Every structure is written in structure tokens, then in C-alpha cells.
Amino acid sequence: MRLALTSSALFLMVCLSMADPAIGLLIEENGTTDPGTIGEFTGGDSDPMCLGILSSGSMVYFESDPDAGAGADDAIVLFDEDASGGGINRFSIIASEEDLLSIATLPSPATLEANDIAIGDDDTVYALIARDRIYPIAWHIFRIPHLEDNSFGSPEIVAGPLQLGSPSGLLHSMAIDTSTDPDTLIIGIDDGNRDHDTSTNGIYTLDASQTYGTPTMIGGGAATLGAVSAAVGGVPGTDKGTCTSLTVLPSGNILVSHGGYYAGVARGNIVEIDRSTGAASLWLDASLEEGTPMTGCVRFNPDSDRVAVFWYVGADGDEPETDDRIDEYTTAGESEGTVVTEPEIELVANSSSDLNIMGNAFAIDGESYLMFLYNSSESLVRVSPGSPAELSVLSAD
């Protein structure tokens, strides 16, 4: 936009405004096998979990639909939107259920669930996956080595149940720190037992190059979920601390999302863990956010130097089903505003039910945010935030 100013003097006007976000539907899931849909690959429905972005721009996710065809059931799948030929050629399996069960020596058949996918500095894929519905649950971190382009080697195991525990719930989480050499995995271990929040449940690190490596709790045992609970105003060991998602700040410190249906007091709050000492402090009070979110998936965006949070508010009590959104914050937790709202996303994704994601299926590619939705339409959506536009006028009469 150009403004005209008429005056006897020379005027310079600089005006900043935030443009609307650009929202794109990359691939639709509508339960059909129509050309161009996810169903063309899976044979119908899809239940995508987790999401990671490779340096090539291709995306990696976990397909959990039990009826998915083409060997996609409980598989790690690569989606290349620019693949030659398009359509079904955009999908390929980089680790099948059979591959994963075999390397983990787990019995088949089995049902697998994934909570997080992280991408290493060399595009190696790390997946936090559990055998579900057979107790105790067997957690594994799988490593799928990147070879070249969009090809990968056979799965390897970074850690197994002896290192990650065998809980009765699916509460573990994972992120990655690519500033170290080798990369460092950040792991939230939570067996669901609040009595263990003051001892073994907590935030750990693990050298990503290890095989059956043993994670180390941050701060020499200080970064417990009890410390997370205390940071949000709870009583360690009494009020359940949780770690539903993680991200790494430029300082090396860790942000922990204390949220979800399993949280005790102050669910939705975000806590910062000091990487050296393990001390936990409140980073963001969710009760002060619009709609009082119950959980948020946190991601640091190195391109914008901001923290993005995919807030899930849901429809608790009298809260509307339109408050779910992506907000941005400084690394100190100060609000930078809303990137996109639920109605804006659902309009593009042809969905009318409550917005949500499954298995932290929220990732960053440059300044764009990508998510696999989890509602009536499990579609893949890209959101590019509107950027400030400089408006300037020079006029002299």
C-alpha cells in the first residue's frame, strides 16, 4: 500500500502492520482414496502422529491407522510434496512396522504408538515409539540413519525399555539439541506414577549416537517432574508433574509443557529447566492466556528467534471450540501475538470439528509452521506467518 501525503514540507512515514498468515493445505485426508489425498496412499483413513522436517523440505511422520494399506500401518513415512509424478509417489516408507518390531525384538503382531519425531543435524530421524496395549509398555527410541537425498538406512536402537522404563501409560516425550556434537536427545520420562515424580520421572539427556544408551537426568537428578510441579505451584509427589512436549532454547535450557489430561494443578503452564543445574522455573502461566489452554506443544523457531506454541484449549466447560491457535513468544516468554487461529485453519482444511494434533505433530520449516491435524480431517497444513510490511511515503509540494 502506498500513501500520498500533501504538504509544504518533506514527510517520511513508516508504518508497520502484520499481514494475514498464508495457510496452505499440503495434503488432505478425507477418508477417501481420491487422487491427491492421503487415502490414495493408505487406502482410506489415516491417523498421522508426530512430524519432522528434513533439510530438503521433505516431511517425516508416523502413520498409526491400523487399517492403513501399502505397509503403512505403524510405519515411519516420508512425504515429499515435490516428488516427481506427484500423487502416491509423494509417499514412501522409511521404516515399516516389521522393521521396527524386528530390531526391537518385539513380538508381532503389535500396536505401536509414537509421541515424538526429531530430526538430527545430518537429517537422521529419531522416533520415540511405544508398544501399546500390551503391559508393561515397551518404549524405544529408534534411529533411522540418513544416507542421501530422501533415502535412509535400516532402523537402529538408541534406547530401549531397560533405559526408558516400562510404564503403564504413554507419557514420554522427546526433542533434540543439534548444537552439540554429536546431537543430544532431550527426553521426558514419565511412568505416570506421581510417587516417582521426585525420583525417576524427569527430564533427561542422551547422546544420540548411542546404542542402548542410558539417559542422564539434567542437573544430576534435579530436573524431576516434581520440580516441574513445584514450578507451576504444585506439591512434588502429590500434584502430578507432566512433560507433554519439549524444546531447546538457544541458551541450551529446556522448555517443558506441563499439560494434557494427566496434569495436576496449573495444566498448560510451561516451565524452563536450567540445563546446568536442573532448576525449574515458570516460563509461562497458561491461566493468563486467552481461553486458559490445557496444553501446548512448544517449538523454538531459530529463524525468527521465537518460541511457537500450538495451544489446545478444547471445549472444557463454557470455553468455545474456536480458541485453539498458534501463538509466538520471545525466548523470555513475552507474547509476540497470535500467528493463526482455529477458524482460519479449519476453513482451509475443510474441517468443522475441534482442532488438535496427535503425538506432537507440529514442526517448523524456516518461518513456516506445519501440522497434521487430528479431528474430522487429519490433513497436513502449512502456515506462513504474515510479515511486517514497511509502508513509506516521500512527498514534497
Side-chain angles (χ1 to χ4, degrees), residues 149-171:
D149 298 326
N150 279 336
S151 62
F152 292 82
S154 299
E156 302 166 352
I157 293 180
V158 181
L162 290 179
Q163 296 80 37
L164 301 174
S166 299
S168 58
L170 296 168
L171 304 179

PDB file of all heavy atoms in Angstrom, residues 149-171:
ATOM      1  N   ASP A 149      19.903 -37.769  -0.167  1.00  0.00           N
ATOM      2  CA  ASP A 149      18.609 -37.341  -0.693  1.00  0.00           C
ATOM      3  C   ASP A 149      17.509 -37.741   0.288  1.00  0.00           C
ATOM      4  O   ASP A 149      17.558 -37.383   1.448  1.00  0.00           O
ATOM      5  CB  ASP A 149      18.377 -37.934  -2.081  1.00  0.00           C
ATOM      6  CG  ASP A 149      19.428 -37.462  -3.080  1.00  0.00           C
ATOM      7  OD1 ASP A 149      19.875 -36.311  -2.950  1.00  0.00           O
ATOM      8  OD2 ASP A 149      19.801 -38.250  -3.967  1.00  0.00           O
ATOM      9  N   ASN A 150      16.517 -38.500  -0.182  1.00  0.00           N
ATOM     10  CA  ASN A 150      15.445 -38.958   0.709  1.00  0.00           C
ATOM     11  C   ASN A 150      15.536 -40.449   0.999  1.00  0.00           C
ATOM     12  O   ASN A 150      14.526 -41.128   1.172  1.00  0.00           O
ATOM     13  CB  ASN A 150      14.084 -38.632   0.094  1.00  0.00           C
ATOM     14  CG  ASN A 150      13.665 -37.196   0.313  1.00  0.00           C
ATOM     15  OD1 ASN A 150      14.128 -36.543   1.255  1.00  0.00           O
ATOM     16  ND2 ASN A 150      12.802 -36.680  -0.543  1.00  0.00           N
ATOM     17  N   SER A 151      16.747 -40.974   1.057  1.00  0.00           N
ATOM     18  CA  SER A 151      16.926 -42.397   1.350  1.00  0.00           C
ATOM     19  C   SER A 151      17.535 -42.580   2.736  1.00  0.00           C
ATOM     20  O   SER A 151      18.308 -41.737   3.208  1.00  0.00           O
ATOM     21  CB  SER A 151      17.820 -43.055   0.292  1.00  0.00           C
ATOM     22  OG  SER A 151      19.112 -42.476   0.291  1.00  0.00           O
ATOM     23  N   PHE A 152      17.181 -43.702   3.347  1.00  0.00           N
ATOM     24  CA  PHE A 152      17.581 -43.961   4.731  1.00  0.00           C
ATOM     25  C   PHE A 152      18.027 -45.409   4.891  1.00  0.00           C
ATOM     26  O   PHE A 152      17.624 -46.285   4.131  1.00  0.00           O
ATOM     27  CB  PHE A 152      16.411 -43.677   5.682  1.00  0.00           C
ATOM     28  CG  PHE A 152      16.047 -42.220   5.759  1.00  0.00           C
ATOM     29  CD1 PHE A 152      15.230 -41.643   4.797  1.00  0.00           C
ATOM     30  CD2 PHE A 152      16.535 -41.432   6.782  1.00  0.00           C
ATOM     31  CE1 PHE A 152      14.903 -40.301   4.851  1.00  0.00           C
ATOM     32  CE2 PHE A 152      16.216 -40.087   6.855  1.00  0.00           C
ATOM     33  CZ  PHE A 152      15.403 -39.524   5.884  1.00  0.00           C
ATOM     34  N   GLY A 153      18.856 -45.647   5.923  1.00  0.00           N
ATOM     35  CA  GLY A 153      19.293 -46.982   6.247  1.00  0.00           C
ATOM     36  C   GLY A 153      18.295 -47.698   7.140  1.00  0.00           C
ATOM     37  O   GLY A 153      17.205 -47.190   7.435  1.00  0.00           O
ATOM     38  N   SER A 154      18.666 -48.874   7.584  1.00  0.00           N
ATOM     39  CA  SER A 154      17.795 -49.678   8.444  1.00  0.00           C
ATOM     40  C   SER A 154      17.721 -49.060   9.848  1.00  0.00           C
ATOM     41  O   SER A 154      18.687 -48.437  10.310  1.00  0.00           O
ATOM     42  CB  SER A 154      18.337 -51.102   8.551  1.00  0.00           C
ATOM     43  OG  SER A 154      18.367 -51.713   7.279  1.00  0.00           O
ATOM     44  N   PRO A 155      16.593 -49.233  10.534  1.00  0.00           N
ATOM     45  CA  PRO A 155      16.446 -48.676  11.885  1.00  0.00           C
ATOM     46  C   PRO A 155      17.482 -49.245  12.854  1.00  0.00           C
ATOM     47  O   PRO A 155      17.882 -50.403  12.754  1.00  0.00           O
ATOM     48  CB  PRO A 155      15.033 -49.101  12.285  1.00  0.00           C
ATOM     49  CG  PRO A 155      14.333 -49.384  11.008  1.00  0.00           C
ATOM     50  CD  PRO A 155      15.372 -49.902  10.066  1.00  0.00           C
ATOM     51  N   GLU A 156      17.896 -48.408  13.785  1.00  0.00           N
ATOM     52  CA  GLU A 156      18.778 -48.788  14.887  1.00  0.00           C
ATOM     53  C   GLU A 156      18.119 -48.358  16.187  1.00  0.00           C
ATOM     54  O   GLU A 156      17.170 -47.570  16.188  1.00  0.00           O
ATOM     55  CB  GLU A 156      20.140 -48.098  14.727  1.00  0.00           C
ATOM     56  CG  GLU A 156      20.840 -48.412  13.412  1.00  0.00           C
ATOM     57  CD  GLU A 156      22.000 -47.486  13.112  1.00  0.00           C
ATOM     58  OE1 GLU A 156      22.183 -46.483  13.850  1.00  0.00           O
ATOM     59  OE2 GLU A 156      22.726 -47.744  12.133  1.00  0.00           O
ATOM     60  N   ILE A 157      18.600 -48.876  17.290  1.00  0.00           N
ATOM     61  CA  ILE A 157      18.007 -48.536  18.582  1.00  0.00           C
ATOM     62  C   ILE A 157      18.962 -47.670  19.383  1.00  0.00           C
ATOM     63  O   ILE A 157      20.109 -48.046  19.626  1.00  0.00           O
ATOM     64  CB  ILE A 157      17.635 -49.798  19.374  1.00  0.00           C
ATOM     65  CG1 ILE A 157      16.499 -50.528  18.658  1.00  0.00           C
ATOM     66  CG2 ILE A 157      17.212 -49.443  20.798  1.00  0.00           C
ATOM     67  CD1 ILE A 157      16.043 -51.783  19.339  1.00  0.00           C
ATOM     68  N   VAL A 158      18.481 -46.507  19.791  1.00  0.00           N
ATOM     69  CA  VAL A 158      19.253 -45.610  20.646  1.00  0.00           C
ATOM     70  C   VAL A 158      19.057 -45.992  22.109  1.00  0.00           C
ATOM     71  O   VAL A 158      20.005 -46.003  22.901  1.00  0.00           O
ATOM     72  CB  VAL A 158      18.838 -44.145  20.425  1.00  0.00           C
ATOM     73  CG1 VAL A 158      19.670 -43.211  21.296  1.00  0.00           C
ATOM     74  CG2 VAL A 158      18.955 -43.770  18.964  1.00  0.00           C
ATOM     75  N   ALA A 159      17.811 -46.301  22.478  1.00  0.00           N
ATOM     76  CA  ALA A 159      17.495 -46.698  23.851  1.00  0.00           C
ATOM     77  C   ALA A 159      16.261 -47.584  23.828  1.00  0.00           C
ATOM     78  O   ALA A 159      15.406 -47.458  22.945  1.00  0.00           O
ATOM     79  CB  ALA A 159      17.258 -45.477  24.738  1.00  0.00           C
ATOM     80  N   GLY A 160      16.182 -48.491  24.796  1.00  0.00           N
ATOM     81  CA  GLY A 160      15.057 -49.419  24.889  1.00  0.00           C
ATOM     82  C   GLY A 160      14.409 -49.376  26.261  1.00  0.00           C
ATOM     83  O   GLY A 160      14.701 -48.497  27.078  1.00  0.00           O
ATOM     84  N   PRO A 161      13.545 -50.338  26.552  1.00  0.00           N
ATOM     85  CA  PRO A 161      12.805 -50.345  27.817  1.00  0.00           C
ATOM     86  C   PRO A 161      13.695 -50.368  29.058  1.00  0.00           C
ATOM     87  O   PRO A 161      13.328 -49.789  30.086  1.00  0.00           O
ATOM     88  CB  PRO A 161      11.961 -51.618  27.722  1.00  0.00           C
ATOM     89  CG  PRO A 161      11.836 -51.880  26.266  1.00  0.00           C
ATOM     90  CD  PRO A 161      13.114 -51.424  25.655  1.00  0.00           C
ATOM     91  N   LEU A 162      14.854 -51.024  28.990  1.00  0.00           N
ATOM     92  CA  LEU A 162      15.733 -51.047  30.159  1.00  0.00           C
ATOM     93  C   LEU A 162      16.243 -49.655  30.491  1.00  0.00           C
ATOM     94  O   LEU A 162      16.522 -49.334  31.646  1.00  0.00           O
ATOM     95  CB  LEU A 162      16.912 -51.995  29.930  1.00  0.00           C
ATOM     96  CG  LEU A 162      16.593 -53.488  29.906  1.00  0.00           C
ATOM     97  CD1 LEU A 162      17.854 -54.298  29.639  1.00  0.00           C
ATOM     98  CD2 LEU A 162      15.949 -53.919  31.226  1.00  0.00           C
ATOM     99  N   GLN A 163      16.362 -48.800  29.469  1.00  0.00           N
ATOM    100  CA  GLN A 163      16.855 -47.447  29.686  1.00  0.00           C
ATOM    101  C   GLN A 163      15.722 -46.432  29.866  1.00  0.00           C
ATOM    102  O   GLN A 163      15.892 -45.429  30.560  1.00  0.00           O
ATOM    103  CB  GLN A 163      17.714 -47.001  28.498  1.00  0.00           C
ATOM    104  CG  GLN A 163      18.994 -47.798  28.299  1.00  0.00           C
ATOM    105  CD  GLN A 163      18.760 -49.127  27.597  1.00  0.00           C
ATOM    106  OE1 GLN A 163      17.933 -49.222  26.695  1.00  0.00           O
ATOM    107  NE2 GLN A 163      19.467 -50.163  28.018  1.00  0.00           N
ATOM    108  N   LEU A 164      14.573 -46.685  29.259  1.00  0.00           N
ATOM    109  CA  LEU A 164      13.470 -45.726  29.271  1.00  0.00           C
ATOM    110  C   LEU A 164      12.346 -46.119  30.215  1.00  0.00           C
ATOM    111  O   LEU A 164      11.412 -45.349  30.431  1.00  0.00           O
ATOM    112  CB  LEU A 164      12.905 -45.561  27.856  1.00  0.00           C
ATOM    113  CG  LEU A 164      13.891 -45.088  26.794  1.00  0.00           C
ATOM    114  CD1 LEU A 164      13.233 -45.107  25.417  1.00  0.00           C
ATOM    115  CD2 LEU A 164      14.408 -43.700  27.106  1.00  0.00           C
ATOM    116  N   GLY A 165      12.438 -47.325  30.765  1.00  0.00           N
ATOM    117  CA  GLY A 165      11.386 -47.790  31.651  1.00  0.00           C
ATOM    118  C   GLY A 165      10.249 -48.450  30.898  1.00  0.00           C
ATOM    119  O   GLY A 165      10.125 -48.318  29.680  1.00  0.00           O
ATOM    120  N   SER A 166       9.414 -49.155  31.615  1.00  0.00           N
ATOM    121  CA  SER A 166       8.263 -49.851  31.032  1.00  0.00           C
ATOM    122  C   SER A 166       7.014 -49.461  31.811  1.00  0.00           C
ATOM    123  O   SER A 166       6.513 -50.219  32.653  1.00  0.00           O
ATOM    124  CB  SER A 166       8.477 -51.370  31.081  1.00  0.00           C
ATOM    125  OG  SER A 166       9.615 -51.734  30.336  1.00  0.00           O
ATOM    126  N   PRO A 167       6.498 -48.255  31.566  1.00  0.00           N
ATOM    127  CA  PRO A 167       5.357 -47.750  32.327  1.00  0.00           C
ATOM    128  C   PRO A 167       4.037 -48.331  31.853  1.00  0.00           C
ATOM    129  O   PRO A 167       3.984 -49.127  30.923  1.00  0.00           O
ATOM    130  CB  PRO A 167       5.423 -46.250  32.064  1.00  0.00           C
ATOM    131  CG  PRO A 167       5.977 -46.161  30.684  1.00  0.00           C
ATOM    132  CD  PRO A 167       6.966 -47.294  30.571  1.00  0.00           C
ATOM    133  N   SER A 168       2.957 -47.883  32.466  1.00  0.00           N
ATOM    134  CA  SER A 168       1.620 -48.325  32.080  1.00  0.00           C
ATOM    135  C   SER A 168       0.895 -47.252  31.277  1.00  0.00           C
ATOM    136  O   SER A 168      -0.276 -47.399  30.976  1.00  0.00           O
ATOM    137  CB  SER A 168       0.795 -48.659  33.327  1.00  0.00           C
ATOM    138  OG  SER A 168       0.708 -47.524  34.182  1.00  0.00           O
ATOM    139  N   GLY A 169       1.600 -46.160  30.936  1.00  0.00           N
ATOM    140  CA  GLY A 169       0.974 -45.088  30.161  1.00  0.00           C
ATOM    141  C   GLY A 169       1.888 -44.595  29.061  1.00  0.00           C
ATOM    142  O   GLY A 169       3.058 -44.974  28.983  1.00  0.00           O
ATOM    143  N   LEU A 170       1.335 -43.737  28.214  1.00  0.00           N
ATOM    144  CA  LEU A 170       2.068 -43.227  27.057  1.00  0.00           C
ATOM    145  C   LEU A 170       2.414 -41.752  27.275  1.00  0.00           C
ATOM    146  O   LEU A 170       1.918 -40.869  26.587  1.00  0.00           O
ATOM    147  CB  LEU A 170       1.224 -43.399  25.796  1.00  0.00           C
ATOM    148  CG  LEU A 170       0.904 -44.838  25.401  1.00  0.00           C
ATOM    149  CD1 LEU A 170      -0.179 -44.868  24.322  1.00  0.00           C
ATOM    150  CD2 LEU A 170       2.157 -45.546  24.897  1.00  0.00           C
ATOM    151  N   LEU A 171       3.286 -41.483  28.252  1.00  0.00           N
ATOM    152  CA  LEU A 171       3.538 -40.110  28.661  1.00  0.00           C
ATOM    153  C   LEU A 171       4.945 -39.614  28.355  1.00  0.00           C
ATOM    154  O   LEU A 171       5.278 -38.483  28.687  1.00  0.00           O
ATOM    155  CB  LEU A 171       3.270 -39.959  30.165  1.00  0.00           C
ATOM    156  CG  LEU A 171       1.873 -40.363  30.647  1.00  0.00           C
ATOM    157  CD1 LEU A 171       1.757 -40.188  32.153  1.00  0.00           C
ATOM    158  CD2 LEU A 171       0.805 -39.554  29.940  1.00  0.00           C
TER     159      LEU A 171
END
